Amino acid sequence: MRIVAGEVIVSSPGRNFVTLKLVTDDGVVGYGDGTVNGRERAVEGYLQHLIPLLIGRDATRIEDTWQYLYRGAYWRRGPITMASISAVDQALWDISGKALGVPVHRLLGGTSRDYLMTYPHCTGMTVDEVVDEAAAKLEEGYKAIRVQAAVPGLATTYGVHAHADDEETGAYEPASGALPDEEIWDTKLYLDFVPKLVKRVRDELGYGFELLHDSHHRLTPIEAGWLGKQLEPYRMFWLEDATPAEDQAAFRLIRQHTTTPLAVGEVFNSWFDYQTLITERLIDFVRTPVTHGGGITHLRQLMGVADFYGVRSGFHGPSDISPVGMAANCHLSWSIHNFGVQEYMGYPEQVSKVFTRFPVVENGVVVLDDTPGLGVEIDEDAAKRFPFDPKYLPVNRKTDGTLHDW
Ligand code: GCO
Ligand code: MG
């Protein structure tokens, strides 16, 4: 079964998505997600370099193709390279599954569990709103929730919206074509507030569910250690992205100061971003999604090593990873032993006009789907009706105007 054609579909049904389509001489079509939020055109360009290398290759040789694109290239790693390799890898797993008539998780060894626990985002302008939103999600059956609230004294807080429902509609972004929003950040206001938020959620709703919080890389290691310590009484499932992620050594300091579990890596793309973190047991959860982590092939290998160190998965699942990437996350999550949780932020309604079938959450868990391949169907004509819509994530400045981490 040879690859005979490749095409990059960039469309924006509410969010921008970069989808690679590969076609075999048997007429089997495979899809892969390579979306990198705010840098979509770069992945599209990289994939244009890869498509000629794929034509004529045996579509069933997934590992060899991965090695060819990674090991065979002089320039390795990085978000654009690894998202592009990932898109190819996902498309090949999709093709093999479809050709054999089995879901991808069967090719990976079958499911290791009965359901995939997911977590949604619970946000609000006030703590009361967050508690209400969290109560509603628990009522729907969720076993884990992430809580974020507007920090009092800050005009805006990333990931928090005037209406909690906005997150589900994906309204994270500035208007089309706009320059990045500039948000103002004040660490002391944030650090004073978060322990109160988390305490209220536990006081009101109890301990019968998993509780998560995301710091979006904005703290210093010592601040992160302090926050982790304040949160210890509330038995967090994790504290996410406490410090700028690329500084692996920083986690030694955080770990010395807190037993709150740590998750990191939604901006990572390779085992080598985790080498220190995992082998020195500095973290508890891997956040890298299939889309950004070199595909199923690389992330599966990474999770295999992580398992030896007791580190579990919590793959990134925001609405800026396409339903194809979400499906790939889910197939890997079903199959690995060391699954932790799957983030499932949800999608704007228009997404289902283009992605007409993809994994869904019911009662807080991903429903097992035995559709062959990744199980995602795409209406390519509909995709053309939602052209690329350039947008940027916001940047972040301290109150004195200094640019701050994200
Ligand atoms: C999360 C994330 C997202 C990212 C976004 C960037 O934990 O889901 O932090 O909100 O910021 O996906 O593109
Ligand atoms: Mg995050």
Side-chain angles (χ1 to χ4, degrees):
M1 195 170 46
R2 302 266 156 199
I3 300 166
V4 292
E7 186 191 338
V8 188
I9 302 165
V10 183
S11 72
S12 187
R15 303 297 306 234
N16 287 312
F17 297 124
V18 181
T19 309
L20 175 68
K21 174 188 178 186
L22 295 179
V23 185
T24 71
D25 49 7
D26 298 5
V28 182
V29 172
Y31 295 109
D33 174 35
T35 309
V36 175
N37 193 6
R39 297 293 185 271
E40 296 83 359
R41 290 293 193 204
V43 179
E44 184 187 18
Y46 196 105
L47 285 169
Q48 297 301 354
H49 285 285
L50 298 190
I51 289 171
L53 306 178
L54 298 170
I55 304 299
R57 290 185 72 83
D58 181 343
T60 66
R61 295 184 61 176
I62 301 175
E63 178 71 27
D64 183 64
T65 300
W66 194 91
Q67 299 296 342
Y68 181 75
L69 298 180
Y70 178 85
R71 210 174 284 271
Y74 194 64
W75 314 105
R76 295 181 184 182
R77 306 198 284 149
I80 305 304
T81 300
M82 297 302 274
S84 305
I85 294 177
S86 175
V88 174
D89 187 73
Q90 290 164 61
L92 294 182
W93 283 100
D94 194 23
I95 286 170
S96 271
K98 285 170 177 163
L100 296 168
V102 293
V104 166
H105 65 77
R106 283 273 300 281
L107 301 177
L108 299 172
T111 176
S112 292
R113 54 195 46 82
D114 300 331
Y115 60 83
L116 295 183
M117 177 171 81
T118 72
Y119 72 88
H121 294 192
C122 299
T123 74
M125 295 307 286
T126 63
V127 175
D128 284 341
E129 279 180 25
V130 178
V131 170
D132 288 351
E133 171 80 358
K137 293 293 180 194
L138 294 173
E139 189 65 29
E140 280 176 47
Y142 283 94
K143 303 169 196 307
I145 51 173
R146 190 189 90 162
V147 292
Q148 313 285 134
V151 176
L154 293 181
T156 54
T157 304
Y158 177 70
V160 174
H161 307 280
H163 307 288
D165 285 353
D166 286 356
E167 278 213 346
E168 274 165 5
T169 66
Y172 251 160
E173 312 298 318
S176 313
L179 292 175
D181 280 344
E182 301 229 344
E183 297 185 338
I184 300 298
W185 174 256
D186 188 332
T187 300
K188 68 177 180 316
L189 296 179
Y190 172 79
L191 286 179
D192 288 346
F193 175 65
V194 171
K196 293 178 193 145
L197 165 70
V198 168
K199 179 176 187 315
R200 264 290 299 288
V201 172
R202 282 303 195 197
D203 285 350
E204 302 269 341
L205 303 173
Y207 285 75
F209 57 93
E210 305 290 4
L211 186 54
L212 299 76
H213 177 74
D214 189 348
S215 294
H216 288 294
H217 309 115
R218 290 178 187 193
L219 304 177
T220 64
I222 207 72
E223 289 164 352
W226 182 89
L227 178 60
K229 197 179 280 181
Q230 308 311 307
L231 298 182
E232 279 168 22
Y234 311 113
R235 192 181 46 67
M236 301 297 288
F237 189 75
W238 78 39
L239 173 62
E240 175 181 337
D241 289 344
T243 54
E246 67 271 33
D247 184 358
Q248 294 188 52
F251 282 79
R252 294 190 185 117
L253 190 54
I254 307 174
R255 207 56 152 179
Q256 276 170 32
H257 291 284
T258 183
T259 56
T260 290
L262 302 171
V264 74
E266 64 180 51
V267 297
F268 289 171
N269 49 73
S270 148
W271 157 253
F272 296 99
D273 296 318
Y274 283 101
Q275 196 167 23
T276 301
L277 294 174
I278 290 178
T279 60
E280 293 189 21
R281 300 176 188 276
L282 302 178
I283 58 164
D284 302 279
F285 294 94
V286 163
R287 289 281 290 145
T288 306
V290 168
T291 299
H292 300 142
I296 290 172
T297 297
H298 186 65
L299 195 56
R300 179 172 66 147
Q301 201 173 13
L302 194 161
M303 289 312 303
V305 181
D307 195 21
F308 292 126
Y309 292 90
V311 175
R312 291 183 285 160
S313 69
F315 302 143
H316 197 198
S319 44
D320 50 86
I321 280 176
S322 94
V324 177
M326 176 61 82
N329 278 347
C330 292
H331 284 283
L332 191 55
S333 291
W334 284 116
S335 69
I336 56 177
H337 168 256
N338 48 336
F339 169 76
V341 70
Q342 175 58 57
E343 181 183 20
Y344 197 106
M345 189 174 154
Y347 289 102
E349 219 183 287
Q350 308 93 288
V351 166
S352 53
K353 295 201 160 64
V354 174
F355 299 87
T356 52
R357 181 191 186 90
F358 59 90
V360 292
V361 171
E362 279 173 17
N363 304 318
V365 300
V366 175
V367 179
L368 184 62
D369 183 354
D370 278 337
T371 308
L374 291 173
V376 179
E377 280 162 21
I378 299 184
D379 180 340
E380 293 178 28
D381 290 329
K384 293 192 185 91
R385 294 200 292 276
F386 297 97
F388 177 60
D389 185 12
K391 293 176 185 173
Y392 297 93
L393 283 160
V395 297
N396 197 31
R397 291 187 187 275
K398 295 188 202 177
T399 49
D400 69 356
T402 308
L403 200 82
H404 191 52
D405 296 295
W406 225 122

